Amino acid sequence: MYVAVKGGEKAIENSLDLVAEERRGDRDVPELTIEQIKSQMALAVDRVMTEGSIYDRDLAALAIKQAQGDIIEAVFLLRAYRTTLPRFGYSAPIDTAQMGIQRRISATYKDLPGGQILGPTYDYTHRLLDFDLTEENRNGPAAARTAPEAVNDGEIPHVTDLLNHEGLIQQEPETDEDAPIADLTRQPLAFPAGRDLRLQNLARGDEGFLLALGYSTQRGYGNNHPFVGEIRMGEVSVEIEPEELGFPIEIGEITVTECELVNQFAGTADSPPQFTRGYGLSFGKAERKAIAMGLVDRALRCRELGEEPTAPAQDEEFVLYHTDNVEASGFLQHLKLPHYVDFQSELELIRKLRAEYMARRQAAAE
Amino acid sequence: MTVEKAQATDAFAERKHWMSVLAKADGTDLEKAWQSLSIKPDYDFLRAPETGLVMVRARAGGVGQPFNFGEMTVTRCTVRLANGATGFGYVSGTDRRHAELAAVFDALMHDTDLSDQIANEVIDPLDAAHAAEKRKKAAKSAATKVEFFTMVRGEND
């Protein structure tokens, strides 16, 4: 337990000024603008939006600037800001089949309707530091090439639909559309957690934590044999139905990355051998996060599929209680707060135990 | 479907279309369109511009159980013209002026005297610009479409 302390106002004020000065850095170097962060640090912006759980490129860029690029601190700033805003309502579920596709790949089918579209990916870069970027290039890189044939005229089917035709993959269960949907911004976590609650939790979860957990399932902790059925990234439209209007309207478009994993499943007495699914979804271009989320989603479905949970990634209390980096960081960093009283009592205890130990040793020696 | 209902659905469809164009447009483009109007009608706020959050929903596997994915910022505004027509603006982001102008143009689209002019001079060009932007993006993605060939060991022996 920590205690309230008084004083230190001047020191705190000076510390805040020092932070502001350090944030600004060398004054001979031009100050970063929000526009620069938005357009040139776009993947950091996407990560802050995903884990901050608010889609707003301007606010995320501002948070990154304010936090000096500390991503978890920026996520915290965004989460704190959200508490100042009213909730207008819920959107209709986004329809990823209607996505304006920028990227779409499958590791399970070479030839598939709609084709494989690499889009802007680091997959085929050489991961060699590009020293050309150290100098400002007035002309910028050459403009990206265009192809005459557009990729997204109409709907591009999900790869899992192809498997559905043969009944080889588990169908997403029919759901009652009027059933309440868990919302952990309104109610705390409760167990056992439904898939709706789990997916919401994972969607805003820390990428590093989910990456490690997903990796653990690949290495054998949780018996997961995944294939990337499909990854798609692009814009989807968001619709809400305001009460005063009485019909749904489109309020804008957001960029999302979706990952559908296809996993081996031997079947049980009640269900035939078939592939099962894991689902990942993130704001912006956050592919690693989406794949990691899909792996952990599949691992957490063990009970529903009649598998014995044995690995950390299959333990829903362990996973869901530790995904949130704002909570984790807050609890971890509270260790820095004054624990003087606690520590005094521990000191006294240790002194007493040591005295007893010394007395016992002396008695034994005599 | 009754005739009235069909007409109502058509009216909704048209309004949905222009509201969507206004929402997706850039706030600065709406400002330009407003500044270039020869007559600027007076309006009152029924609800002054206000920023809040909408929880975006998605579906497990893209098709299954709905879940709460994450929030987005939305700014809304309601205006009333002197002739009584009301307009609603619901736009993503925190740009209050964008929501205000979206509401004003929505109201003007109900005004039969001006609706044709607004449709021709504001809605259609914004819609075309957005479509062109989408086509450009799609054309860049299309240039990255690949054909993978599976290599078979010994094939070239």
Side-chain angles (χ1 to χ4, degrees):
Chain A
M1 202 185 87
Y2 53 93
V3 293
V5 287
K6 277 178 155 182
E9 288 89 350
K10 194 70 205 160
I12 290 170
E13 208 176 287
N14 291 344
S15 167
L16 295 178
D17 290 345
L18 192 53
V19 166
E21 186 178 282
E22 297 237 320
R23 177 189 299 124
R24 176 60 186 84
D26 185 348
R27 278 167 205 260
D28 292 334
V29 177
E31 187 174 343
L32 264 179
T33 66
I34 301 302
E35 284 305 320
Q36 284 172 337
I37 297 170
K38 261 166 66 185
S39 66
Q40 295 176 51
M41 292 282 142
L43 300 186
V45 169
D46 289 341
R47 182 163 179 187
V48 170
M49 293 196 304
T50 296
E51 294 170 28
S53 200
I54 297 184
Y55 196 99
D56 188 308
R57 308 200 73 83
D58 293 278
L59 294 179
L62 172 62
I64 289 168
K65 178 174 177 176
Q66 188 177 331
Q68 289 179 267
D70 179 339
I71 296 301
I72 293 183
E73 183 72 17
V75 167
F76 193 165
L77 291 170
L78 210 53
R79 290 273 191 94
Y81 180 72
R82 78 165 282 284
T83 63
T84 67
L85 297 174
R87 168 79 65 82
F88 290 166
Y90 293 85
S91 82
I94 54 173
D95 186 357
T96 51
Q98 303 286 343
M99 183 185 285
I101 301 259
Q102 287 187 55
R103 169 167 168 79
R104 190 264 194 145
I105 55 157
S106 171
T108 54
Y109 288 102
K110 186 160 63 75
D111 304 305
L112 70 167
Q116 308 242 12
I117 299 143
L118 299 181
T121 177
Y122 279 84
D123 289 353
Y124 302 95
T125 61
H126 296 295
R127 262 85 182 209
L128 298 173
L129 273 180
D130 180 0
F131 289 97
D132 290 347
L133 293 173
T134 54
E135 294 296 322
E136 232 175 276
N137 183 349
R138 256 164 237 261
N139 302 319
R145 279 176 204 87
T146 58
E149 180 204 356
V151 287
N152 48 355
D153 282 344
E155 198 169 308
I156 296 185
H158 279 100
V159 166
T160 43
D161 291 347
L162 305 175
L163 287 163
N164 261 348
H165 288 313
E166 284 185 78
L168 295 178
I169 191 164
Q170 186 202 27
Q171 302 259 14
E172 287 295 346
E174 293 271 326
T175 46
D176 173 7
E177 291 292 309
D178 296 325
I181 301 168
D183 185 354
L184 56 79
T185 67
R186 290 287 190 266
Q187 302 96 26
L189 280 174
F191 298 96
R195 192 156 178 225
D196 51 348
L197 185 61
R198 299 197 303 254
L199 287 171
Q200 182 183 14
N201 176 286
L202 298 176
R204 55 200 254 139
D206 182 73
E207 179 174 318
F209 181 64
L210 294 181
L211 172 64
L213 277 178
Y215 181 42
S216 76
T217 68
Q218 288 182 281
R219 293 195 62 257
Y221 292 87
N223 199 30
N224 219 333
H225 299 280
F227 297 94
V228 167
E230 180 171 349
I231 287 171
R232 54 171 66 193
M233 183 274 290
E235 295 82 43
V236 291
S237 113
V238 180
E239 273 195 357
I240 60 168
E241 189 170 331
E243 267 174 35
E244 66 270 31
L245 279 172
F247 58 90
I249 52 166
E250 190 181 357
I251 52 173
E253 287 176 326
I254 60 173
T255 302
V256 299
T257 303
E258 179 185 56
C259 172
E260 290 194 89
L261 291 168
V262 175
N263 297 64
Q264 267 178 35
F265 181 57
T268 61
D270 301 326
S271 51
Q274 60 181 351
F275 292 112
T276 57
R277 308 155 72 122
Y279 189 64
L281 189 66
S282 60
F283 283 149
K285 295 169 192 158
E287 191 166 288
R288 195 191 306 112
K289 165 69 191 275
I291 301 169
M293 174 175 165
L295 287 172
V296 178
D297 171 47
R298 173 59 187 84
L300 290 175
R301 300 183 71 191
C302 55
R303 275 174 206 80
E304 150 197 356
L305 295 167
E307 296 166 340
E308 182 75 28
T310 53
Q314 295 169 315
D315 180 338
E316 69 174 20
E317 287 199 32
F318 175 74
V319 173
L320 301 183
Y321 270 132
H322 300 112
T323 51
D324 196 286
N325 57 24
V326 176
E327 277 172 22
S329 161
F331 197 53
L332 185 139
Q333 299 212 55
H334 106 283
L335 291 173
K336 295 183 289 189
L337 292 171
H339 284 71
Y340 306 141
V341 175
D342 268 8
F343 191 67
Q344 276 304 320
S345 74
E346 298 252 330
L347 261 183
E348 271 163 40
L349 181 64
I350 291 283
R351 283 190 183 121
K352 185 167 160 267
L353 292 173
R354 279 176 67 92
E356 285 168 8
Y357 169 84
M358 295 301 179
R360 273 201 309 277
R361 267 186 58 154
Q362 204 162 7
E366 279 165 6
Chain B
M1 199 185 272
T2 64
V3 176
E4 294 80 33
K5 228 178 174 179
Q7 281 167 347
T9 313
D10 281 352
F12 282 161
E14 280 181 28
R15 188 164 183 204
K16 272 179 74 161
H17 171 70
W18 78 61
M19 286 184 80
S20 131
V21 171
L22 291 166
K24 286 188 290 192
D26 200 69
T28 52
D29 289 338
L30 282 194
E31 186 68 54
K32 269 184 229 157
W34 173 251
Q35 294 305 335
S36 63
L37 280 189
S38 45
I39 321 155
K40 293 189 184 58
D42 287 334
Y43 59 87
D44 292 319
F45 287 127
L46 290 183
R47 177 158 62 201
E50 150 187 55
T51 297
L53 296 166
V54 162
M55 176 58 88
V56 180
R57 285 187 167 151
R59 289 182 184 279
V63 291
Q65 184 179 6
F67 68 96
N68 290 309
F69 171 33
E71 289 166 311
M72 68 189 282
T73 52
V74 175
T75 303
R76 66 182 177 188
C77 178
T78 312
V79 299
R80 186 169 51 198
L81 303 182
N83 69 5
T86 48
F88 295 89
Y90 272 88
V91 305
S92 61
T94 55
D95 184 347
R96 282 152 200 264
R97 182 70 175 157
H98 183 184
E100 178 181 337
L101 290 175
V104 173
F105 283 119
D106 178 41
L108 287 174
M109 285 297 289
H110 294 297
D111 186 319
T112 42
D113 291 344
L114 279 176
S115 55
D116 282 349
Q117 187 198 336
I118 301 290
N120 294 332
E121 292 175 16
V122 181
I123 307 292
D124 292 350
L126 287 175
D127 194 22
H130 183 254
E133 194 55 42
K134 282 200 104 142
R135 270 199 307 278
K136 200 165 125 194
K137 233 176 188 174
K140 283 182 185 178
S141 294
T144 68
K145 194 163 173 173
V146 285
E147 303 288 340
F148 284 119
F149 297 98
T150 315
M151 307 291 275
V152 179
R153 223 177 261 184
E155 200 177 45
N156 298 323
D157 288 351

